[in-house]
Amino acid sequence: MALRLVILGRQGSGKGTQCARLVEHYGCPHVSTGDMLRAARENGSELGRKAGEIMDRGDLVPDDVMHGIVTERLQQPDVAEHGVLLDGYPRTPDQADELERVLEALGTPLDVAINLDVPVAEVTERMLARGREDDTPEAIGRRLDHYEALTAPLIEWFGERNLLHVVDGLGAEDEVFARVRAVIDARLSGQ
Ligand code: AP5
């Protein structure tokens, strides 16, 4: 099984939570750009230091930096063999175009894009309850503003390519997972 999936959705909508389950179920590597940047920060690299400051403010790391990180990851043999769950990338139109270009060059197109739909009030509550370093009220506000301006347009971008499915992200994690799985399985069986 080499599922290639993009998971979209507001910050705090449960993308990472669902990806942990999807990895177990479908056996594809989880490529979370947020996790990659946080790991770089913990390693104390120059990239991690710069990215950490940007993340704490709730801003986006520049597109060219993200292209480099993700392209390198997508070229790894585990992705070629098992596919990929892309979480947090793409999140700007430029990143979407770059992803399309890279996957086309690799000859491995996407199977599906899922938009996990959760209202602003609910995601805000979830993030405040989680309390990650960038889950301050100010940074959450900026992240959600960036989402509306730069990431929400990707819903249409994936729709135009007949890849998009919207999944209700409200409810228990198990219920959401069952909805996500139903979409993926239908897509993989060509329905
Ligand atoms: P990133 O790590 O991607 O953070 P984010 O976008 O803020 O998304 P989250 O991880 O908060 O949300 P999630 O949807 O994964 O929710 P989760 O499952 O954790 O990015 C961090 C930063 O890195 C960015 O701000 C940016 O600076 C930089 N960055 C990353 N990618 C970039 C890119 N491509 N370009 C530029 N910059 C980039 O769930 C949230 C909470 O809700 C958890 O506590 C969870 O337990 C809970 N929860 C989950 N599901 C449910 C449910 N069904 N019911 C109730 N609670 C639930």
Side-chain angles (χ1 to χ4, degrees):
M1 163 89 57
L3 167 68
R4 292 185 185 82
L5 170 143
V6 162
I7 190 154
L8 299 162
R10 288 194 174 87
Q11 291 79 358
S13 58
K15 302 181 295 293
T17 303
Q18 292 302 321
C19 279
R21 289 161 185 254
L22 291 169
V23 167
E24 215 169 293
H25 190 80
Y26 294 100
C28 326
H30 177 202
V31 174
S32 157
T33 44
D35 287 351
M36 290 164 91
L37 293 170
R38 281 184 287 276
R41 177 188 222 174
E42 269 171 36
N43 292 340
S45 66
E46 181 61 9
L47 163 71
R49 198 187 54 74
K50 283 190 186 149
E53 287 170 15
I54 295 171
M55 290 160 82
D56 285 347
R57 284 200 307 269
D59 286 331
L60 291 179
V61 173
D63 281 340
D64 56 338
V65 176
M66 297 312 302
H67 295 335
I69 295 173
V70 175
T71 300
E72 195 186 327
R73 184 66 187 91
L74 291 176
Q75 289 166 340
Q76 299 302 310
D78 61 333
V79 173
E81 193 176 344
H82 301 295
V84 66
L85 305 174
L86 275 166
D87 166 9
Y89 186 96
R91 69 170 87 196
T92 66
D94 198 39
Q95 291 180 13
D97 290 339
E98 178 68 6
L99 175 65
E100 186 170 56
R101 199 188 62 70
V102 170
L103 291 181
E104 215 169 273
L106 291 170
T108 54
L110 286 173
D111 295 302
V112 61
I114 288 179
N115 181 33
L116 214 47
D117 191 27
V118 180
V120 169
E122 169 72 15
V123 295
T124 305
E125 212 172 286
R126 288 184 189 179
M127 285 188 276
L128 288 172
R130 180 179 58 182
R132 206 169 67 192
E133 266 175 289
D134 55 347
D135 287 337
T136 60
E138 298 72 30
I140 289 173
R142 287 184 70 80
R143 283 151 66 198
L144 290 172
D145 286 348
H146 290 314
Y147 174 84
E148 294 306 332
L150 294 167
T151 312
L154 300 187
I155 295 170
E156 199 179 322
W157 191 96
F158 282 105
E160 285 164 1
R161 285 155 181 78
N162 287 324
L163 289 168
L164 183 76
H165 290 264
V166 179
V167 170
D168 180 2
L170 288 175
E173 291 175 16
D174 283 347
E175 287 167 10
V176 177
F177 184 55
R179 289 177 208 140
V180 170
R181 238 179 39 208
V183 164
I184 294 172
D185 291 345
R187 188 84 193 192
L188 291 178
S189 68
Q191 287 170 31

